[in-house]
Amino acid sequence: GDSVTQMEGPVTLSEEAFLTINCTYTATGYPSLFWYVQYPGEGLQLLLKATKADDKGSNKGFEATYRKETTSFHLEKGSVQVSDSAVYFCALSPNSGNTPLVFGKGTRLSVIA
Amino acid sequence: EADIYQTPRYLVIGTGKKITLECSQTMGHDKMYWYQQDPGMELHLIHYSYGVNSTEKGDLSSESTVSRIRTEHFPLTLESARPSHTSQYLCASRQGGDYGYTFGSGTRLTVV
C-alpha cells in the first residue's frame, strides 16, 4: 500500500541554520504531497503542498519540490528561526483523492538561539 | 480563526466512563476524520466519513464509535474509557482530492 517515510528526529539546529527534512513516498499513480506543521499544544496546520511532478510548494520560507523520479518531497528552509520549532509531518493523498491521507511519523525540530 | 472546532480541549475522566468528543466544522466539507496521536507523535486513523450517514473504520477503531447525522458534526464516542485511551485526539475535514486536511486544535484526554 501507499506509505510515507520521513527522517527520524529530533533535529536540533542553531538559529539561521539551513534545514532539510527528508521525505520519500511509495504510491501508485500520481499522489498529491503535503507538509504539515504542528506547534506545541495545537493541531496540525497545512504548510505547503504540491499536486504534480516538478511542482514546488512554498510558504513562510519553507519549500519542497515534488520529485517523481526519486519519489521524494524534501522540506527545506534557508534560515530557521526559534519560532520554527515544531513537529513536521509529510503526507500524501492517494491518486483516488477519496481515501484518507497517509502520514509519515513526524520529525521534531528544535531551533536554539 | 478556526473553522473546525473540538470540545472539550482537555478532559480527565475515570476508567469505565463513557465519553463523547465533539467535532464540528463550518466549511461544508463532506469528508471528516478522527486521529489518535500518541506521545511519539505518530498519527493513527480511528474513523472517517465521506458524508452524512457514511462512516468507515480506520486502523484503531475497535474501541470507539462515530456518527455522521449532519454534515458539520462528527462526534467520537468511547463506550468505556481505559488508561490506554490517554492520548490526543485530532479531528480533521477535507474538501476533496488535491486539498489537504483542516485540523481542529485537538482534545487531550487523560483516563485515570
Side-chain angles (χ1 to χ4, degrees):
Chain A
D2 298 339
S3 66
V4 173
T5 302
Q6 59 182 105
M7 64 187 287
E8 292 188 20
V11 174
T12 302
L13 295 174
S14 298
E15 207 165 23
E16 299 184 3
F18 185 86
L19 169 71
T20 300
I21 300 178
N22 290 337
C23 172
T24 57
Y25 68 90
T26 302
T28 55
Y30 303 94
S32 296
L33 301 172
F34 305 86
W35 276 101
Y36 283 85
V37 58
Q38 185 179 30
Y39 298 104
E42 299 182 10
L44 280 70
Q45 302 174 23
L46 179 63
L47 182 59
L48 53 84
K49 71 174 184 180
T51 59
K52 60 183 187 295
D54 300 325
D55 266 2
K56 178 184 283 188
S58 61
N59 186 24
K60 300 181 181 180
F62 291 90
E63 293 183 340
T65 300
Y66 188 163
R67 301 284 189 202
K68 187 164 178 61
E69 63 276 13
T70 55
T71 62
S72 65
F73 192 55
H74 304 321
L75 182 68
E76 296 181 337
K77 187 175 186 183
S79 176
V80 294
Q81 305 301 312
V82 172
S83 57
D84 294 326
S85 298
V87 180
Y88 293 82
F89 291 89
C90 185
L92 71 82
S93 175
N95 196 34
S96 69
N98 277 330
T99 53
L101 295 190
V102 177
F103 286 89
K105 294 184 177 181
T107 302
R108 185 179 300 279
L109 169 67
S110 295
V111 180
I112 54 177
Chain B
E1 184 176 345
D3 294 310
I4 182 164
Y5 306 93
Q6 290 188 243
T7 57
R9 190 81 174 82
Y10 300 94
L11 179 63
V12 180
I13 200 164
T15 298
K17 299 292 187 182
K18 178 179 179 179
I19 57 172
T20 296
L21 308 184
E22 302 288 347
C23 177
S24 295
Q25 50 97 3
T26 59
M27 298 169 284
H29 290 171
D30 285 330
K31 300 174 181 62
M32 296 189 73
Y33 309 85
W34 275 104
Y35 286 86
Q36 181 177 342
Q37 185 173 30
D38 62 30
M41 307 175 301
E42 190 171 356
L43 298 168
H44 301 281
L45 181 65
I46 311 173
H47 293 278
Y48 57 104
S49 168
Y50 291 133
V52 170
N53 295 324
S54 152
T55 60
E56 304 286 341
K57 294 183 177 182
D59 306 322
L60 213 63
S61 62
S62 60
E63 299 173 355
S64 60
T65 58
V66 291
S67 62
R68 190 86 185 276
I69 299 172
R70 304 196 315 267
T71 296
E72 62 270 23
H73 194 214
F74 191 43
L76 173 74
T77 297
L78 296 177
E79 295 294 334
S80 179
R82 297 211 296 264
S84 60
H85 292 139
T86 295
S87 192
Q88 165 131 287
Y89 291 83
L90 295 170
C91 180
S93 69
R94 184 184 192 187
Q95 182 174 345
D98 286 348
Y99 295 88
Y101 290 171
T102 301
F103 279 89
S105 297
T107 293
R108 186 163 295 281
L109 173 66
T110 302
V111 183
V112 297

